[in-house]
Amino acid sequence: MLKFIIKRVLYSTLILFLVMFVIYTLMASLPSGYIEKQARMLSQQPGTQKSYDQWVEEMEANLGMDKGLVEGYFTWLGNAVQGDFGESWNWTVPVAQKFNDVVWYSFVLSLIAFVLEVAIAIPLGILAAKKQYSFADYTVTVVALVGISMPTFFLASLLKLVFSVKLGWFDIGGMGGRDHNQLDAWGQFLDTCHHMILPVITLTIIGIGGLMRYTRTNTLEVLNADYIRTARAKGLSEKRVIGYHAFRNTLIPIVTIVGGSLPGLFSGALITETLFDIRGIGFVSYHSMVNGDIPFTMFYLAFSSILILMGTLLSDILYAVVDPRVRLN
Amino acid sequence: MSKKEMNDKLNNKPEEAKENRMALDDAARVKVLSPAMLVFKRFIRNKLAILGTCVLVILFLFCFLGPLFYPYAETEIFYGYRDQNGSYAYAQIRKDYVSYWNPECDSDTKTNLDLVERMVNSAIKEIVESGSDSTNVQAADGHYYTLKKFDDEVYALTDSSYVLVADFAGNMLKGIATFRDGHTKPEGDFDKAAAAGISEGSFEFGGLTYDIVKDPKGTKLDYDIYCDLSTGGVDYYFVSTVLAPTFYSEADYQTYSKDSGFKYHAYLSNYTDSKGFEYGGEKFTTASEEGVITLYKGEEKCAYFSAFAASGKDSSVHLSAEFQQALEGVISEMRDSSNAAVGSTATFTFPSPKYVDGKVVTDAEGNTVLEDKVYTVKTEQNDYTVWCDQSTYVILIYDAPNADHLLGTDANGMDVLARIMYGGRISLMVGFVVVFIEMILGVIMGGIAGYFGGWVDNLIMRLVDIFYCIPSMPILIITGAMFDALKMDYKVRLIWMMAILGLLGWAGVARMVRGQILSLREQEFMVAAEASGLSTSRRIFRHLVPNVMPQLIVQATMGLGSVIITESTLSFLGLGVKHPLATWGNMMNNITQKVEYLSAYAYIWVPIGCLICLAVIAFNFVGDGLRDAFDPKMKR
């Protein structure tokens, strides 16, 4: 088992190394002049502390884009491994610091949505499988499909229209109301929670469909298995058949997929956060990318690919942990 | 028909039919269907899949055939008349006096009096301050003229006739004349000439005759010097007034409003004995009614005079006398009340011609149809502006749904329904092109990896792992922002976007194809293919790939939905397909960014969003249905 994990981790590191190289190549091969143009624009902004030359110099020192591709990559990687991703152009603070400031908002937002998704999707998925072709099944299937098919921006706009504009229950965006600063600590907390409700609903509805569908399919497969027939033949109560024999087996693929999406909680919700002005990592990265903030963009790309890899790795390992049949092979 | 009857019929069949009855395992009983037919039959048994197919067919007809029958083009901009609140007229209470020359004045006189005319406002101010009814002003040639007050609003310049110019009061013994205000001592030894003239009662100096009269109220030695300063000529040289005429008929307005000579007579007429004058062969009379001077042309009311002046915003607007009177009433009310600060407003209604599509509406007899229109008067720094809704020729921006534009028009005045159709074309086309690129790349890479195995397989699968890890949305956003910065042409960037989307999506297809080919490779038919000496490419593309086709089709159908979502999200963020081209995503872009648009123009973006959902759901339904039809084992 340990050997399996070590092998997987080493392999993932290799892939990560290559992915980073691809990303670096991509950024380095941006049409010539784009980075210089951004640097020039930055140096002309009011209140800037650095001249154009300083910007370019600092960027080259950190990203190594003045050197060759391979050498530059190692310069950047060397800095990145030490946690030095340079200074963000858009936010004018070190990238690592900005990341640290905002990542927890994203994490909390995603975590709440994730818990809700799991809590709603798994029971409903199992219910739908248990009563296949019933009204409940069709409802779950259709809701799941609508959730999958709904573009985030459309759902967010709809929620804004209904709950913010028409009903006036929530603000249209942002993380605090107009009088946020006048509130005491507890009031500020409640205010922020209030502003998180619509983003959480958006994320939950978007995410719930896939998991619900997956649970349903897997439960159906398990319910068709021989050991379920055996359990029924032995005269076990339906409750025990479903709740004990079937449920534990259903959980195998679900645990792997749920575990695999855990690292993704840190990656932030790019679209949702941007649309609702939640200043998490997704919002910050979106604005960095749109404004040509190369250091932060490099960091975010690297960070996202690490999270994706970690997700795959985690689900592989969890699969082996949960399912003894895999371990035997 | 009941069961019993059916059985009876069967039993009562003729003998020969009974003999020809087929055995249970008779080959003729088995209806042979081609594999494609089987798949099709299983597919059409799935209600959701049929629903999805129908939706897709309708969508495709709508997007690809709809524009052929729809009259509007993708980027056609619509213009039309719309009531827009704009400035309509200006009004002011005139404070500056304007002078109108007597037409009989010759040009020399005019030149001589030019300075007087220009200084008339300060001269009038002097009169008002002193409370007198005239003042003397000196012209360029040194002569004095009298500016005479008729009324607060009307003054006229006339010859100053016999006026007191100087006296000897106080300084008689010294023989020095003291000149009154407004008169200056001529050059030369005036005093001596005056002293010499006392006994005769008059003397001449500098071409003028001065009379010396003993002041009846003064002391014994107090003498006043009078002089006839008049130069002879016309009665009045010019009239200065703050009044302006408001004509009742447009014809009179056209004839007289620019005629300075007419105005001279008109303003003066009320102060003459005859209260009338003749001008251009017409007889005019004036009468003062309730403080307003009205001018009659013959018996008809021609105009009235007032310090209140209103004019249209440009030459196309002619204000009727009635409108001006109403406006004057409102403004004088505003001035009387406390509502006089700059920026304060008042409204009134006035029956005005009704406009539809920029044209005046007339009834059957050709009379103009009037409707009550609301006018708003706004106090400005020095004057008043009048605002009202005017029928203006504009680009029809955000037109509400109507018979011409079933879903209204968008921010650029383009027809929403037409753009939805063309947008659907682009969205669906992007989906197909991207999925096609993904499939081609995926089949080639997966096929090679699966068939050859070994180091080729290893290399390609590492590449697949790498592409799996590249976060696609951030990459797409960065490239979109970069295209923006490079100001790339919208067609070029559309091609780039499709290429990038395809490049980022092939890894999944390759992995699936490789897995399938790995298992197929070992099967008997491949051994047979190898044994019959088929070439490698033929073995791959004629024998292996067709067996992967079902999974490929399913994956492509599902992929179409997700590509449509990705593309619309990018376009929604303004980083995908750009303006002149319509897509479902970028049509929602502007509208949902602003809160007020979000609710006001929900009729534009909600249908578009629903269309995106519908298309994606339909592709998913069809994909599900196809998967079940291809592989019945998967379904319970």
Side-chain angles (χ1 to χ4, degrees), chain B residues 403-565:
Chain B
D404 285 341
H405 307 287
L406 291 177
L407 279 175
T409 55
D410 66 2
N412 300 305
M414 299 174 184
D415 185 80
V416 172
L417 189 60
R419 282 184 80 75
I420 288 180
M421 291 177 184
Y422 285 97
R425 276 187 182 186
I426 301 260
S427 291
L428 293 172
M429 190 199 73
V430 167
F432 276 103
V433 171
V434 169
V435 165
F436 186 72
I437 298 174
E438 282 177 9
M439 291 299 137
I440 294 287
L441 274 176
V443 167
I444 293 176
M445 300 297 259
I448 293 172
Y451 186 79
F452 291 107
W455 68 270
V456 180
D457 181 27
N458 239 324
L459 186 75
I460 290 177
M461 287 331 282
R462 296 303 80 80
L463 208 59
V464 166
D465 280 342
I466 291 170
F467 269 90
Y468 245 83
C469 276
I470 293 179
S472 54
M473 202 65 200
I475 296 276
L476 288 165
I477 291 176
I478 294 164
T479 46
M482 190 191 71
F483 293 158
D484 272 358
L486 294 176
K487 298 192 170 56
M488 200 180 258
D489 181 65
Y490 64 92
K491 281 178 191 153
V492 180
R493 73 178 286 164
L494 174 65
I495 293 169
W496 270 107
M497 194 190 76
M498 293 193 291
I500 294 169
L501 272 169
L503 207 64
L504 288 171
W506 64 272
V509 183
R511 187 173 275 185
M512 189 273 292
V513 171
R514 171 186 172 265
Q516 287 292 316
I517 286 185
L518 273 184
S519 70
L520 288 171
R521 201 174 59 170
E522 307 301 327
Q523 289 187 10
E524 286 85 354
F525 73 92
M526 283 314 292
V527 180
E530 204 170 352
S532 18
L534 296 178
S535 71
T536 313
S537 66
R538 195 174 167 79
R539 262 181 279 156
I540 294 182
F541 292 108
R542 294 285 298 174
H543 292 268
L544 282 179
V545 171
N547 279 297
V548 190
M549 255 351 226
Q551 280 86 349
L552 266 183
I553 291 172
V554 171
Q555 193 145 0
T557 319
M558 303 285 214
L560 272 170
S562 67
V563 170
I564 288 174
I565 288 191

Side-chain angles (χ1 to χ4, degrees), chain A residues 11 30 37 145 213 224 297, chain B residues 462 465 478 485 621 624 636:
Chain A
Y11 177 68
L30 286 180
K37 203 170 124 198
L145 254 176
R213 230 174 150 202
N224 278 344
T297 306
Chain B
R462 296 303 80 80
D465 280 342
I478 294 164
F621 277 158
D624 270 357
R636 190 169 95 167

Side-chain angles (χ1 to χ4, degrees), chain A residues 9-29:
Chain A
V9 168
L10 284 179
Y11 177 68
S12 297
T13 318
L14 175 73
I15 293 292
L16 182 65
F17 180 80
L18 293 172
V19 169
M20 299 276 224
F21 185 67
V22 170
I23 288 170
Y24 185 84
T25 314
L26 204 78
M27 297 305 281
S29 60

Side-chain angles (χ1 to χ4, degrees), chain A residues 11 18 26 30-31 34 37 132-133 145 149-151 153-154 157 161 165 213 224 270 275 297 305 308-309, chain B residues 462 465-466 469 475 477-478 482 485 565 569 572 592 599 605 609-610 612-613 616-617 620-621 624 636:
Chain A
Y11 177 68
L18 293 172
L26 204 78
L30 286 180
Y34 178 64
K37 203 170 124 198
Q132 201 188 7
Y133 301 131
L145 254 176
S149 310
M150 196 91 137
F153 63 91
F154 180 50
S157 304
L161 176 67
V165 179
R213 230 174 150 202
N224 278 344
L270 209 58
L275 290 182
T297 306
S305 41
I308 297 172
L309 261 175
Chain B
R462 296 303 80 80
D465 280 342
I466 291 170
C469 276
I475 296 276
I477 291 176
I478 294 164
M482 190 191 71
I565 288 191
T569 306
F572 173 80
T592 42
S599 65
W605 67 263
C610 291
I612 301 176
C613 280
V616 179
I617 291 177
N620 279 328
F621 277 158
D624 270 357
R636 190 169 95 167

Side-chain angles (χ1 to χ4, degrees), chain B residues 88 120 203 276 355 408 429 513 567:
Chain B
Y88 175 69
V120 77
F203 66 98
Y355 282 87
M429 190 199 73
V513 171
E567 182 274 326

Side-chain angles (χ1 to χ4, degrees), chain A residues 192-259:
Chain A
T192 307
C193 287
H194 187 245
H195 282 81
M196 290 280 189
I197 292 177
L198 282 187
V200 164
I201 293 176
T202 311
L203 284 178
T204 312
I205 294 180
I206 294 295
I208 211 166
L211 192 58
M212 209 140 82
R213 230 174 150 202
Y214 192 70
T215 313
R216 177 179 174 271
T217 321
N218 274 302
T219 313
L220 274 181
E221 222 164 82
V222 169
L223 286 179
N224 278 344
D226 293 341
Y227 52 83
I228 295 297
R229 198 178 308 129
T230 314
R232 287 215 175 97
K234 275 163 65 185
L236 291 181
S237 70
E238 188 64 15
K239 203 174 149 193
R240 189 156 173 83
V241 170
I242 303 283
Y244 188 74
H245 293 265
F247 183 65
R248 283 167 58 125
N249 280 293
T250 311
L251 275 188
I252 295 173
I254 291 172
V255 163
T256 60
I257 208 174
V258 165

